[in-house]
Amino acid sequence: MRLKEIRIGNLIARNNVFLAPLAGYTNAPFRDMCYALGAGLTFTEMVSAKGLCFGSEKTKELLHVSKDYGGIKACQIFGNDPYYMRKACESEALAPFDLIDINMGCPVPKIYKNGEGSYLLNDFTLAAKIIEECKKSGKIISVKFRIGLDNSSICGGQFARVCEGAGADMITVHGRTRDKIYAGEVDFEAIAAAKRAVSIPVIANGGVFCEKDADELYERTGADGVMIARGAMYKPWIFAEITGRENVDKRGIVRGQLEKTLKVYGEKFALVYMRKMIGFYLKGTPNAAEIRAKLFKCQSITEVEEILNTLSF
């Protein structure tokens, strides 16, 4: 794919290969690692607007940003009340962030049944009101959404126009319907329809697990860039591959992630989180199942480090 800068309002992302917000995964050390590997923009895990407004400490923990992070600081929020969405954007907790993304694509039943995430595809008027209120905060605003609820309600182009009309500075379009969750083929044409419908940057999302996937998504949709989600969980060095960075010390990169996670979140969290992440990174490597079994039995960071020192990703 053709690498290029992306202008989002008055912000400029250094390239057009982005890391998606991933609940439970895209904490500060993971974002730092992906940015170091070449990602042009990274997002926090999605955080509850009401949680921020009511001072939830657990919610605030998701917003940690490393002091040495060099990219655009971007946060994703979710909710369905325009008042609280704007209030969250104006909150002290989000003051460090340059870009606020609104989640209108999460398909998880708990979120959907609460009228949030992809449920907003049911109500274009409410979706527009939320964007308009968030824009009043003065923040740069983007929106991430799906192409529809099911195959009978594909609305990528129409919803894209709603977002642009309400003031969104960029949109990211996940090329699956809500009912598909994360399975099934990506609908390139539905993303392309959204791209044709608006003049703001359009980022294509869905099904990118290697450089070839990124090329296909970029070319077949005509989007301005691509966003990588689960592909980065299994292979964060996918950013280095797509952006042409060579000779990446994968084990060193993961060791750095482990050290930062330990420093920021403490050993209890780091142990559970890094066992899981290294387990993902082992996908496709020799003896992966056997090594994972040993990894998940580790009771200390030292034991995890000992296994990490023997690995080649």
Side-chain angles (χ1 to χ4, degrees), residues 24-242:
Y25 298 100
T26 53
N27 55 36
F30 187 80
R31 300 195 307 273
D32 291 350
M33 175 177 63
C34 291
Y35 186 77
L37 286 164
L41 183 62
T42 71
F43 291 84
T44 68
E45 303 174 52
M46 67 177 189
V47 297
S48 165
K50 284 189 175 180
L52 287 174
C53 293
F54 291 109
S56 166
E57 290 303 317
K58 187 175 181 181
T59 298
K60 290 180 181 178
E61 287 176 4
L62 302 175
L63 299 176
H64 181 80
V65 178
S66 301
K67 291 182 180 179
D68 59 351
Y69 184 74
I72 295 169
K73 298 177 180 67
C75 169
Q76 187 186 69
I77 63 174
F78 72 96
N80 61 8
D81 187 312
Y83 170 79
Y84 285 110
M85 294 290 278
R86 176 181 175 177
K87 191 175 179 182
C89 290
E90 295 173 339
S91 69
E92 183 179 348
L94 295 192
F97 291 90
D98 309 301
L99 169 65
I100 307 299
D101 186 73
I102 303 172
N103 185 315
M104 295 189 178
C106 181
V108 174
K110 180 181 178 181
I111 299 295
Y112 184 85
K113 290 177 181 177
N114 202 40
E116 301 166 328
S118 60
Y119 182 87
L120 292 166
L121 295 171
N122 286 295
D123 192 337
F124 286 18
T125 301
L126 177 58
K129 183 64 175 176
I130 287 170
I131 297 167
E132 289 167 356
E133 287 300 305
C134 288
K135 281 292 292 184
K136 290 177 183 177
S137 70
K139 294 284 189 180
I140 304 300
I141 301 295
S142 62
V143 183
K144 188 171 188 288
F145 63 90
R146 288 183 172 240
I147 57 172
L149 297 174
D150 53 38
N151 285 336
S152 67
S153 61
I154 301 295
C155 60
Q158 187 179 359
F159 200 76
R161 284 190 291 272
V162 168
C163 293
E164 182 178 43
D169 298 287
M170 180 181 78
I171 58 173
T172 299
V173 186
H174 184 137
R176 296 185 180 93
T177 51
R178 186 258 165 181
D179 63 329
K180 297 292 195 307
I181 308 295
Y182 302 110
E185 298 296 319
V186 171
D187 188 332
F188 299 111
E189 173 51 33
I191 300 175
K195 170 59 184 172
R196 293 192 298 267
V198 297
S199 59
I200 56 176
V202 176
I203 307 301
N205 173 227
V208 177
F209 292 92
C210 63
E211 184 177 6
K212 182 180 178 182
D213 293 337
D215 290 341
E216 183 178 25
L217 184 62
Y218 182 72
E219 295 297 332
R220 293 186 62 179
T221 62
D224 298 289
V226 300
M227 181 176 281
I228 303 171
R230 289 174 298 147
M233 285 167 46
Y234 291 106
K235 192 171 69 170
W237 30 89
I238 188 174
F239 293 106
E241 294 174 5
I242 296 172

